Coordinates of all heavy atoms in Angstrom, one line a residue:
A1463 N -6.2 -12.5 8.2 CA -4.8 -12.9 8.6 C -4.8 -13.4 10.1 O -3.9 -14.1 10.5 CB -3.8 -11.8 8.4
R1464 N -5.8 -13.1 10.8 CA -5.8 -13.3 12.3 C -5.9 -14.9 12.5 O -6.9 -15.5 12.0 CB -6.9 -12.6 13.0 CG -6.9 -12.9 14.5 CD -8.0 -12.2 15.3 NE -7.6 -10.8 15.3 CZ -8.4 -9.8 15.3 NH1 -9.7 -10.0 15.1 NH2 -8.0 -8.5 15.5
T1465 N -5.0 -15.4 13.3 CA -5.1 -16.8 13.8 C -5.4 -16.8 15.3 O -5.8 -17.8 16.0 CB -3.9 -17.6 13.6 OG1 -2.8 -17.1 14.3 CG2 -3.5 -17.6 12.1
G1466 N -5.0 -15.6 16.0 CA -5.2 -15.6 17.4 C -3.9 -16.0 18.2 O -3.9 -16.0 19.4
K1467 N -2.9 -16.3 17.4 CA -1.6 -16.8 18.1 C -0.6 -15.8 17.8 O -0.7 -15.0 16.9 CB -1.3 -18.2 17.4 CG -2.2 -19.2 17.7 CD -1.7 -20.6 17.2 CE -2.8 -21.6 17.6 NZ -3.2 -22.4 16.5
I1468 N 0.5 -15.9 18.6 CA 1.6 -14.9 18.5 C 2.2 -15.1 17.1 O 2.2 -16.2 16.5 CB 2.6 -15.2 19.6 CG1 3.7 -14.1 19.6 CG2 3.4 -16.5 19.4 CD1 4.5 -14.1 20.9
G1469 N 2.6 -14.0 16.5 CA 3.2 -14.0 15.1 C 2.2 -13.7 14.0 O 2.6 -14.0 12.9
D1470 N 1.0 -13.3 14.3 CA 0.0 -13.0 13.3 C 0.5 -11.9 12.3 O 0.1 -11.9 11.2 CB -1.3 -12.7 13.9 CG -2.1 -13.9 14.2 OD1 -1.7 -15.0 13.7 OD2 -3.2 -13.8 14.8
G1471 N 1.3 -11.0 12.8 CA 1.9 -10.0 12.0 C 1.5 -8.5 12.4 O 0.9 -8.3 13.5
K1472 N 1.8 -7.6 11.5 CA 1.5 -6.2 11.7 C 1.1 -5.5 10.4 O 1.4 -6.0 9.4 CB 2.8 -5.5 12.3 CG 3.2 -5.9 13.7 CD 3.9 -4.7 14.4 CE 4.1 -5.0 15.8 NZ 4.6 -6.3 16.3
I1473 N 0.4 -4.4 10.6 CA 0.1 -3.5 9.5 C 0.6 -2.1 9.6 O 0.5 -1.6 10.8 CB -1.4 -3.5 9.3 CG1 -2.0 -4.9 9.1 CG2 -1.9 -2.5 8.2 CD1 -3.5 -5.0 9.1
F1474 N 1.2 -1.6 8.6 CA 1.8 -0.2 8.7 C 1.0 0.6 7.6 O 0.9 0.1 6.5 CB 3.3 -0.3 8.4 CG 4.0 -1.2 9.3 CD1 4.4 -2.4 8.9 CD2 4.4 -0.7 10.5 CE1 5.1 -3.3 9.8 CE2 5.1 -1.6 11.4 CZ 5.4 -2.9 11.1
V1475 N 0.7 1.8 7.9 CA 0.1 2.7 6.9 C 0.9 4.0 6.8 O 1.2 4.6 7.9 CB -1.4 3.1 7.4 CG1 -2.0 3.9 6.4 CG2 -2.2 1.8 7.6
M1476 N 1.2 4.3 5.6 CA 2.1 5.5 5.3 C 1.5 6.3 4.2 O 0.8 5.8 3.3 CB 3.5 5.1 4.8 CG 4.2 4.2 5.9 SD 5.4 3.1 5.1 CE 4.3 1.7 4.8
P1477 N 1.7 7.7 4.3 CA 1.2 8.6 3.2 C 2.0 8.3 2.0 O 3.2 8.0 2.0 CB 1.4 9.9 3.8 CG 2.5 9.8 4.8 CD 2.4 8.4 5.3
V1478 N 1.3 8.5 0.8 CA 2.0 8.4 -0.5 C 1.7 9.8 -1.2 O 0.7 10.2 -1.3 CB 1.3 7.3 -1.3 CG1 1.8 7.3 -2.8 CG2 1.5 5.9 -0.7
E1479 N 2.9 10.4 -1.6 CA 2.8 11.7 -2.2 C 2.3 11.7 -3.7 O 1.6 12.5 -4.1 CB 4.1 12.4 -2.1 CG 4.4 12.8 -0.6 CD 5.7 13.6 -0.6 OE1 6.1 14.2 -1.5 OE2 6.3 13.5 0.5
Q1480 N 2.8 10.6 -4.4 CA 2.6 10.7 -5.8 C 2.6 9.3 -6.4 O 3.5 8.5 -5.9 CB 3.6 11.6 -6.5 CG 3.3 11.8 -8.0 CD 4.3 12.7 -8.7 OE1 5.3 13.1 -8.1 NE2 4.0 13.1 -9.9
V1481 N 1.8 8.9 -7.4 CA 1.8 7.7 -8.1 C 1.8 8.0 -9.5 O 1.1 8.9 -10.0 CB 0.6 6.8 -7.7 CG1 0.6 5.6 -8.5 CG2 0.5 6.5 -6.2
V1482 N 2.6 7.3 -10.3 CA 2.7 7.5 -11.8 C 2.6 6.1 -12.4 O 3.4 5.2 -12.1 CB 4.0 8.2 -12.3 CG1 4.0 8.3 -13.8 CG2 4.1 9.5 -11.6
R1483 N 1.6 5.9 -13.3 CA 1.6 4.6 -14.1 C 2.5 4.8 -15.2 O 2.4 5.7 -16.0 CB 0.2 4.4 -14.6 CG 0.0 3.1 -15.3 CD -1.4 2.8 -15.8 NE -2.4 3.1 -14.8 CZ -3.1 2.2 -14.2 NH1 -2.9 0.9 -14.5 NH2 -4.0 2.5 -13.2
I1484 N 3.6 3.9 -15.3 CA 4.6 4.1 -16.3 C 4.0 4.0 -17.7 O 4.4 4.8 -18.6 CB 5.7 3.1 -16.1 CG1 6.4 3.4 -14.8 CG2 6.7 3.1 -17.2 CD1 7.4 2.4 -14.3
R1485 N 3.2 3.0 -18.0 CA 2.7 2.8 -19.3 C 1.9 3.9 -20.0 O 2.2 4.3 -21.1 CB 1.8 1.5 -19.3 CG 1.2 1.2 -20.7 CD 0.3 -0.1 -20.7 NE -0.7 0.0 -19.6 CZ -1.9 0.5 -19.8 NH1 -2.3 1.0 -21.0 NH2 -2.8 0.4 -18.8
T1486 N 1.0 4.6 -19.1 CA 0.2 5.6 -19.7 C 0.6 7.0 -19.3 O 0.1 8.0 -19.8 CB -1.2 5.4 -19.3 OG1 -1.4 5.4 -17.9 CG2 -1.7 4.0 -19.8
G1487 N 1.4 7.2 -18.2 CA 1.7 8.4 -17.6 C 0.6 9.0 -16.7 O 0.7 10.2 -16.2
E1488 N -0.5 8.2 -16.4 CA -1.5 8.7 -15.5 C -0.8 8.9 -14.1 O 0.1 8.2 -13.8 CB -2.6 7.6 -15.3 CG -3.4 7.4 -16.6 CD -4.3 6.1 -16.4 OE1 -3.8 5.0 -16.6 OE2 -5.6 6.3 -16.2
T1489 N -1.4 9.8 -13.4 CA -0.9 10.1 -12.1 C -1.9 10.0 -11.0 O -3.2 10.1 -11.2 CB -0.3 11.5 -12.1 OG1 -1.3 12.5 -12.3 CG2 0.9 11.7 -13.1
N1490 N -1.4 9.8 -9.8 CA -2.2 9.8 -8.5 C -3.4 8.8 -8.6 O -3.2 7.7 -8.9 CB -2.5 11.2 -8.1 CG -1.3 12.1 -7.9 OD1 -0.3 11.6 -7.4 ND2 -1.3 13.3 -8.2
E1491 N -4.5 9.3 -8.2 CA -5.7 8.4 -8.0 C -6.0 7.6 -9.3 O -6.4 6.4 -9.2 CB -7.0 9.2 -7.7 CG -6.9 10.0 -6.4 CD -7.0 9.2 -5.2 OE1 -7.6 8.1 -5.2 OE2 -6.4 9.6 -4.2

């Protein structure tokens, strides 16, 4: 994503407590 010019953007990283796949009911990893 880097162009070296203003406005290239930002990246945010947040913790995720739980993930559920709706189709199969699988959870997390």
